[in-house]
Amino acid sequence: MLTKEDIITEAKRLGFADIGFTDADPFASQKEYLLAHQEEYGWTEAAGFSLLAGTDPKNILPNAKSIIVLLESYFEEAFPLKMERHFGRCYHNDDRVTKDGLALKVKAFRQFLKTNNIDSKVPPHMPHRLSAARAGLGTFGNNCVFYARRVARASSFVFPIAILVDTEYPPDEPTIAIGCPEWCRNACVAACPTRALKGGGKIDPRRCISYLTYYGEGLTPRELREPMGLYVYGCDRCQNVCPRNTPWMAGDKPQNPRVLAKAANFDLSCLLHMDRPYFEKKIWPHMFYMSVDDLWRWKMNAARAMGNSLNPAYVTDLVLAFKENSDERVKSMIAWALGRIGNKEAMAGLEQFSQGSNGIVKEEIEQALKSSAAKL
Ligand code: SF4
Ligand code: SF4
């Protein structure tokens, strides 16, 4: 039988940053929390993540005996600034669809277990971060993010991958705690633009920009549009301001060639004008939380980010996209973005569109014209 040391050696050989072990007991505190916050987390069931079922490992692997948690350090190489501006870093090199990066390492690790007669499962809906803390790999921040203990200079730029196995291994000492220094005074909570963070390691996920960018329903409410800033998919603000991340962020890193190669495809103008084949070929395989039916949301997010950039160079794009699109959520956001940029060209575009518009689009145009006029 494989020993714990054999497994640790193989994980390190495959390039995982760290590894820990915990038992396969239910995550009772997580279940209790989810049940008490159904209003905030109910959407996860509709989105296909049965978080409640994931709180009992035996629902997933009936003879589960242990959980092996691998840590992947995903920010070893630098990402292009033009990607960091608009997309959460953890998605830049996401290979959950293409399966040509991290997935290959996980597959090799599981194959190693299988060759040694250990059955395993990697359930997406199990609490991976809590598993990591239970396996002694790190602590939480008040921003609800997991921080490594021994690797990546104790930063949050790590993915915990919890693997259920049918073999029992001695568990490591848990480190379930908030590990923030007292002097920080909740920089993350203060910096969260949409007030999703509530302090004490609590969050309202429905107010988080990550949720809002890919699951938010309908036209983004007006009061959230400016706070959501330049983010199009995900958000890193509470990690960027965190002093626990300063040591890792300060280090020089080589460019990530995979992300650099695809960065041009994620240009805001390309996103605003993309058609179905472009989305399916160049975007969805890398950022897949929104299906082709949600193309409108990508465009709405791109238009909002353009507006918040206050960059007059985007006016031409926005005017063209207003004509290209029939979706009223996209058109409404384009009107808002033109009003936010608010120069003469933007105003001319809005006046031109006002004639043939009605309903919510007309209302947004009128609002945008008012805000533009106030600026001129
Ligand atoms: S990811 Fe962004 S929106 Fe979400 S909690 Fe952090 S700062 Fe707030
Ligand atoms: S910003 Fe401060 S309070 Fe927030 S996670 Fe970082 S150290 Fe903790």
Side-chain angles (χ1 to χ4, degrees):
M1 189 186 105
L2 282 180
T3 65
K4 198 167 162 178
E5 286 64 39
D6 293 333
I7 295 173
I8 293 170
T9 303
E10 180 64 4
K12 294 283 166 72
R13 188 190 73 76
L14 287 169
F16 289 103
D18 206 353
I19 175 170
F21 295 74
T22 184
D23 54 52
D25 289 349
F27 293 87
S29 63
Q30 178 80 349
K31 184 173 182 182
E32 200 179 307
Y33 186 83
L34 289 172
L35 287 172
H37 294 82
Q38 274 298 286
E39 205 183 311
E40 290 165 17
Y41 288 89
W43 62 272
T44 57
E45 300 288 324
F49 312 114
S50 188
L51 297 184
L52 269 175
T55 58
D56 186 353
K58 292 199 170 54
N59 286 336
I60 300 154
L61 185 67
N63 54 345
K65 300 269 182 6
S66 289
I67 303 172
I68 302 174
V69 188
L70 301 167
L71 270 198
E72 171 77 353
S73 174
Y74 67 84
F75 190 20
E76 294 280 324
E77 295 172 313
F79 301 120
L81 192 55
K82 64 189 294 187
M83 290 292 282
E84 290 196 339
R85 258 184 228 129
H86 304 300
F87 308 95
R89 283 189 197 92
C90 65
Y91 304 115
H92 290 200
N93 205 10
D94 190 337
D95 79 326
R96 282 176 286 175
V97 169
T98 55
K99 304 213 180 298
D100 55 356
L102 173 60
L104 294 175
K105 278 164 58 173
V106 175
K107 188 175 174 191
F109 183 77
R110 291 185 67 203
Q111 185 57 46
F112 167 76
L113 297 176
K114 189 175 175 191
T115 307
N116 288 282
N117 301 315
I118 297 176
D119 194 13
S120 70
K121 282 251 160 55
V122 189
H125 57 304
M126 214 167 70
H128 288 239
R129 290 181 295 181
L130 188 52
S131 303
R134 204 160 90 174
L137 292 174
T139 58
F140 292 95
N142 277 320
N143 54 4
C144 305
V145 175
F146 177 80
Y147 287 74
R149 187 163 69 92
R150 297 182 283 244
V151 297
R153 296 191 195 163
S155 74
S156 63
F157 304 111
V158 287
F159 287 135
I161 304 145
I163 303 182
L164 272 175
V165 293
D166 63 354
T167 307
E168 190 162 351
Y169 287 101
D172 292 313
E173 192 63 35
T175 48
I176 303 172
I178 290 185
C180 299
E182 268 184 33
W183 53 261
C184 174
R185 292 184 291 169
N186 283 327
C188 54
V189 177
C192 176
T194 50
R195 302 186 184 195
L197 293 177
K198 301 195 267 189
K202 301 281 188 304
I203 185 171
D204 180 346
R206 298 161 306 168
R207 285 193 72 84
C208 177
I209 291 173
S210 297
Y211 169 90
L212 291 165
T213 50
Y214 34 69
Y215 294 130
E217 267 183 40
L219 179 61
T220 305
R222 190 178 295 271
E223 71 276 10
L224 290 173
R225 296 176 196 169
E226 250 187 80
M228 286 172 72
L230 302 182
Y231 281 114
V232 170
Y233 188 104
C235 168
D236 276 339
R237 189 149 166 76
C238 54
Q239 295 182 83
N240 289 343
V241 301
C242 175
R244 295 175 74 181
N245 280 335
T246 307
W248 186 254
M249 290 177 78
D252 288 330
K253 302 172 184 65
Q255 276 285 329
N256 183 310
R258 278 160 59 98
V259 180
L260 196 57
K262 66 188 175 193
N265 295 338
F266 287 82
D267 182 77
L268 289 187
S269 300
C270 296
L271 297 177
L272 185 68
H273 299 295
M274 70 182 162
D275 57 14
R276 190 180 174 126
Y278 183 98
F279 172 72
E280 287 178 335
K281 186 158 179 232
K282 301 194 169 171
I283 305 299
W284 186 81
H286 308 291
M287 296 187 193
F288 57 90
Y289 285 176
M290 289 181 270
S291 73
V292 72
D293 295 334
D294 290 334
L295 216 52
W296 65 270
R297 199 189 277 114
W298 270 102
K299 295 182 180 216
M300 179 179 74
N301 290 342
R304 175 187 40 73
M306 283 178 169
N308 281 330
S309 76
L310 302 182
N311 184 351
Y314 284 132
V315 170
T316 309
D317 269 319
L318 289 163
V319 166
L320 178 62
F322 189 96
K323 296 174 187 162
E324 284 170 350
N325 281 280
S326 56
D327 189 293
E328 63 176 24
R329 297 160 292 194
V330 179
K331 287 173 104 76
S332 295
M333 191 61 83
I334 290 172
W336 178 84
L338 287 168
R340 178 107 170 91
I341 295 172
N343 64 2
K344 286 205 172 82
E345 292 71 28
M347 197 169 220
L350 286 167
E351 273 160 4
Q352 180 198 339
F353 300 141
S354 178
Q355 313 293 326
S357 300
N358 47 46
I360 179 71
V361 181
K362 179 97 171 165
E363 276 171 39
E364 289 285 347
I365 291 173
E366 279 166 12
Q367 278 287 338
L369 278 168
K370 265 191 226 156
S371 64
S372 302
K375 282 182 217 153
L376 288 175

